C-alpha cells in the first residue's frame, strides 16, 4: 500500500519533479537514510518527548483556553493510561514537572513496538511537528484521526487566532506543517 501511495505521488508530478509536493517520498527517504540504521537513537529521541510532552503543560487561564486544552488533551492522557499503562502529572504553566518513571518506560515500550522504519519515521515526524509523542502515538494507534491529532496539538494557536486574529504568513507556515503531519500519519498507517 505504501509503494502504491509513493507511485501515485510520483505519477502526480508534471514536467518537472517538485520534491516540495512529495511529502511521502521525502519521509520514506528519511526512513531509509536516517532511521533504518539509527533505530535506537530515534527511539531514544522519541521516548525523551514523554518527559516534556505538550499535553501535560496547561494554561491556568483564561477559562476558555483551559477548557479547550482539557477537551483536546484529557482524552489523549486517558488513552495513554488505559492503553499503554502511562499516567502523567499535569503542570500549570511552563515549570517542569517530573513524570513517573514507569510512565516514561511505558511510552518507551510503545515506541519500541513500532517495528517498521517507515512507521517509526512517521511517528518521529508527527512528534516533532506537534511536540507530543502522546498525540503521535494516539494517531498511530487510531485513537485520533490525523485531523484530530493536528487540532489537538494546536489548541493554543487556535485560541490565539480567535483572540487576536489570524496572521496569513503564520497560517501558510502552519498549512505546510500540517501537510507534513498528515503525510507522516499516512506513511505510519501504511507501514503498520
Amino acid at each position: 500500500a505504501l509503494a502504491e501511495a509513493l507511485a501515485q505521488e510520483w505519477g502526480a508530478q508534471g514536467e518537472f519533479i517538485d520534491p516540495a509536493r512529495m511529502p511521502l517520498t521525502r519521509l520514506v527517504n528519511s526512513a531509509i537514510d536516517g532511521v533504518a540504521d539509527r533505530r535506537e537513537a530515534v527511539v531514544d529521541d522519541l521516548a525523551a518527548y514523554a518527559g516534556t510532552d505538550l499535553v501535560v503543560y496547561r494554561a491556568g487561564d483564561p477559562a476558555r483556553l483551559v477548557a479547550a486544552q482539557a477537551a483536546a488533551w484529557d482524552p489523549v492522557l486517558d488513552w495513554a493510561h488505559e492503553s499503554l499503562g502511562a499516567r502523567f502529572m499535569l503542570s500549570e504553566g511552563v515549570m517542569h514537572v517530573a513524570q513517573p518513571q514507569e510512565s516514561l518506560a511505558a511510552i518507551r515500550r510503545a515506541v519500541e513496538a513500532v517495528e517498521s522504519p517507515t512507521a517509526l519515521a512517521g511517528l518521529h515526524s508527527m512528534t516533532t511537528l506537534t511536540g507530543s509523542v502522546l498525540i503521535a502515538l494516539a494517531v498511530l494507534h487510531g485513537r485520533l484521526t490525523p485531523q484530530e491529532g493536528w487540532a489537538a496539538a494546536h489548541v493554543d494557536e487556535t485560541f490565539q487566532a480567535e483572540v487576536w486574529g489570524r496572521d496569513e504568513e503564520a497560517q501558510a507556515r502552519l498549512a505546510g506543517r500540517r501537510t507534513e503531519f498528515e503525510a507522516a500519519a499516512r506513511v505510519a498507517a501504511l507501514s503498520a
Side-chain angles (χ1 to χ4, degrees):
L2 180 56
E4 289 176 8
L6 290 171
Q8 289 174 357
E9 192 173 71
W10 279 90
Q13 296 299 301
E15 182 180 349
F16 300 101
I17 295 172
D18 181 4
R21 292 184 30 236
M22 302 175 74
L24 301 179
T25 299
R26 283 195 316 277
L27 190 55
V28 169
N29 287 340
S30 293
I32 293 167
D33 295 337
V35 175
D37 293 336
R38 299 183 53 243
R39 178 179 173 72
E40 192 62 29
V42 174
V43 167
D44 288 346
D45 189 45
L46 284 167
Y49 273 85
T52 58
D53 201 275
L54 166 74
V55 302
V56 303
Y57 292 94
R58 305 293 178 97
D61 57 47
R64 203 170 86 211
L65 177 57
V66 171
Q69 288 176 340
W73 298 345
D74 288 355
V76 174
L77 291 169
D78 292 343
W79 171 81
H81 181 244
E82 294 163 10
S83 298
L84 306 176
R87 183 182 299 265
F88 288 86
M89 307 300 292
L90 302 184
S91 177
E92 189 174 297
V94 295
M95 292 301 295
H96 177 72
V97 60
Q99 298 300 332
Q101 286 302 311
E102 49 278 355
S103 296
L104 300 176
I107 297 305
R108 182 177 190 84
R109 285 190 300 276
V111 171
E112 288 173 335
V114 180
E115 294 180 9
S116 162
T118 50
L120 193 60
L123 182 65
H124 191 273
S125 184
M126 287 189 287
T127 300
T128 58
L129 286 165
T130 62
S132 176
V133 70
L134 299 177
I135 288 174
L137 283 166
V139 170
L140 178 71
H141 288 280
R143 171 57 183 88
L144 297 175
T145 66
Q147 295 76 22
E148 291 168 335
W150 182 258
H154 293 85
V155 169
D156 293 354
E157 290 90 340
T158 301
F159 174 79
Q160 292 299 328
E162 289 170 357
V163 170
W164 301 105
R166 301 203 181 276
D167 176 298
E168 288 188 34
E169 198 173 299
Q171 291 299 309
R173 281 192 309 273
L174 207 54
R177 291 171 54 87
R178 182 177 185 154
T179 298
E180 295 296 322
F181 179 85
E182 290 175 354
R186 187 169 180 208
V187 165
L190 292 173
S191 301

